Amino acid sequence: MGGFPTIERTDIDSGRLAEFIRESDFTSLAVDLLREVASYACVAACTLGAEPTWDRDQAVVGGNMVRLYKLLDALLDQTCKKRRETSTIFVRLAFETAINIRYLIANFSSELVKAYIRFSLRHERGLRNLILSNIDSRGGTIEPIEQRMLSSLDRTARVAGISLDSIDPNDRTPHWGGKSIRQKAISLGLEGPYDSAFGGMSHNVHGSWQDLYDYHLKVDGEGRFTPNLDWRMPRPQILTAMGLIAVGTAHDFLGFIGGTSALDQLAHKLTDLEDRILMLDEAHENFLNKIQGS
């Protein structure tokens, strides 16, 4: 395995941190650190291992690593545009992707990968059934768009190595691998981050009442509402929390796909990055305690 590209290191100075007077100073530095995290996620996602390509089972894990890199990039974009409402959506999606990667690695087997794919393809099985039913109701006449859709569905299943006929269209199991995202997080020792930081962000993904109340409505003293079109400023805590999760995920993936040769080159750099994120997080907490006590 060849050498990895050099990634610019974000300097963290405790003296400088102590002089910060605005939370936006911490957010700006958190963005720089998360950009470094995303760079390592990109390097991990481009690591193929002993062979020049992934097999199907490796591709499930590797594809999720690519997805994590792209979600971190999108999170950085929305944070720099000062849009907390949408940045929280990308944080939640990135967290779930990181959990999926780490759970797949920790329990890696062909059967678990098949469970992941089968769960994913339930929609495609139902869609194919609907198309075939519509064709049958017309006496066998196939519309061009239906032929294209059937060909696309067949190609998707063929590449995945899973027959759509083998998927039970009546299966309503809510999770792949027999565990919810929270249960997967618990099994990985990440129950704390899920409960304290990431679990509630499902509100932001699905647009629940809490999301509307927090970000999209104004309420007066009489319980009457008006639209809120203003954007909220992102805060640093969620960036540092996601950064720590993503660094650990990049480490796990590099060990999984690249082995000791990859970790020998990058593990110490990832540890150093993690330490700097923790330093910023601690300094921000001290800052909050100081302004609350003043």
Side-chain angles (χ1 to χ4, degrees):
M1 180 177 295
F4 291 99
T6 300
I7 294 172
E8 184 178 353
R9 185 179 183 275
T10 303
D11 290 328
I12 299 290
D13 180 79
S14 58
R16 178 189 169 204
L17 291 173
E19 294 174 354
F20 282 176
I21 59 174
R22 295 179 299 271
E23 188 170 65
S24 59
D25 295 329
F26 291 93
T27 303
S28 178
L29 196 51
V31 165
D32 290 339
L33 285 168
L34 190 62
R35 188 180 294 116
E36 187 177 343
V37 171
S39 297
Y40 280 107
C42 183
V43 167
C46 294
T47 303
L48 295 172
E51 300 293 332
T53 57
W54 293 322
D55 62 28
R56 192 277 312 271
D57 291 359
Q58 293 171 324
V60 166
V61 189
N64 269 292
M65 194 68 222
V66 175
R67 171 181 163 88
L68 177 60
Y69 158 66
K70 292 179 178 179
L71 288 170
L72 292 174
D73 186 80
L75 168 58
L76 285 164
D77 173 75
Q78 291 303 291
T79 301
C80 291
K81 290 178 178 176
K82 301 178 180 179
R83 296 176 174 178
R84 192 196 303 182
E85 292 86 334
T86 43
S87 66
T88 52
I89 294 172
F90 285 115
V91 166
R92 167 64 192 213
L93 296 175
F95 174 77
E96 185 162 347
T97 302
I99 293 300
N100 286 343
I101 294 168
R102 293 166 83 158
Y103 186 80
L104 283 163
I105 291 173
N107 303 277
F108 190 69
S109 71
S110 187
E111 287 307 308
L112 183 62
V113 169
K114 288 178 182 177
Y116 173 90
I117 296 174
R118 287 180 183 279
F119 183 84
S120 302
L121 291 179
R122 290 192 303 185
H123 169 76
E124 281 67 24
R125 170 64 193 266
L127 179 59
R128 191 192 67 170
N129 285 358
L130 176 61
I131 295 170
L132 293 176
S133 176
N134 290 339
I135 293 171
D136 185 63
S137 69
R138 293 194 302 270
T141 302
I142 303 177
E143 300 290 341
I145 188 174
E146 292 173 328
Q147 186 59 63
R148 292 195 300 272
M149 292 175 71
L150 288 172
S151 297
S152 177
L153 292 169
D154 178 67
R155 184 167 55 253
T156 296
R158 187 171 64 253
V159 169
I162 300 290
S163 168
L164 289 181
D165 289 329
S166 70
I167 298 173
D168 182 1
N170 298 314
D171 182 6
R172 295 294 180 264
T173 306
H175 313 290
W176 64 271
K179 296 182 186 295
S180 67
I181 185 65
R182 183 175 186 274
Q183 290 169 330
K184 290 184 176 78
I186 291 172
S187 74
L188 296 166
L190 295 171
E191 178 181 7
Y194 179 89
D195 288 341
S196 63
F198 300 103
M201 289 180 180
S202 59
H203 289 307
N204 308 111
V205 172
H206 301 296
S208 70
W209 166 254
Q210 191 65 40
D211 180 64
L212 302 183
Y213 173 71
D214 283 343
Y215 297 122
H216 309 299
L217 294 171
K218 296 178 182 178
V219 58
D220 61 24
E222 299 179 354
R224 304 290 296 180
F225 300 91
T226 53
N228 180 9
L229 300 180
D230 296 330
W231 292 94
R232 297 274 295 278
M233 289 288 291
R235 302 191 68 196
Q237 299 100 317
I238 204 62
L239 301 179
T240 55
M242 189 63 239
L244 291 171
I245 296 293
V247 167
T249 304
H251 179 280
D252 288 358
F253 182 79
L254 284 165
F256 167 74
I257 205 73
T260 55
S261 62
L263 290 180
D264 286 346
Q265 296 181 63
L266 293 180
H268 65 289
K269 294 184 179 181
L270 295 175
T271 299
D272 171 62
L273 176 53
E274 184 179 69
D275 289 342
R276 283 178 282 130
I277 296 171
L278 289 169
M279 185 186 299
L280 175 62
D281 191 57
E282 181 180 359
H284 179 244
E285 282 299 313
N286 292 337
F287 168 80
L288 292 178
N289 292 332
K290 186 166 84 172
I291 63 174
Q292 288 170 1
S294 60

Coordinates of all heavy atoms in Angstrom, one line a residue, residues 10 172 194 210 276:
T10 N -4.7 21.6 11.5 CA -5.3 22.8 12.1 C -4.7 23.0 13.5 O -4.8 22.2 14.3 CB -6.8 22.7 12.2 OG1 -7.4 22.5 11.0 CG2 -7.4 24.0 12.9
R172 N -42.3 -6.4 7.4 CA -42.3 -5.0 7.9 C -41.3 -4.8 9.0 O -41.5 -3.9 9.9 CB -43.8 -4.7 8.4 CG -44.8 -4.7 7.3 CD -44.6 -3.5 6.3 NE -45.6 -3.5 5.3 CZ -45.4 -4.0 4.1 NH1 -44.2 -4.6 3.8 NH2 -46.3 -3.9 3.2
Y194 N -25.6 9.3 21.3 CA -26.9 9.2 20.6 C -27.9 9.9 21.5 O -28.7 10.8 20.9 CB -27.3 7.8 20.4 CG -28.7 7.6 19.8 CD1 -28.8 7.6 18.4 CD2 -29.8 7.6 20.6 CE1 -30.1 7.5 17.8 CE2 -31.1 7.5 20.0 CZ -31.2 7.5 18.6 OH -32.4 7.4 18.1
Q210 N -41.5 19.6 16.9 CA -40.4 20.2 17.6 C -39.5 21.0 16.7 O -39.0 22.1 17.0 CB -39.5 19.1 18.4 CG -38.5 19.7 19.3 CD -39.1 20.4 20.5 OE1 -40.2 20.0 21.0 NE2 -38.5 21.6 20.9
R276 N -7.1 17.4 19.5 CA -7.4 18.8 19.2 C -8.9 19.1 19.3 O -9.3 20.2 19.7 CB -6.8 19.2 17.9 CG -5.2 19.4 18.0 CD -4.6 19.7 16.7 NE -4.5 18.5 15.8 CZ -4.9 18.5 14.6 NH1 -5.5 19.5 14.0 NH2 -4.7 17.3 13.8

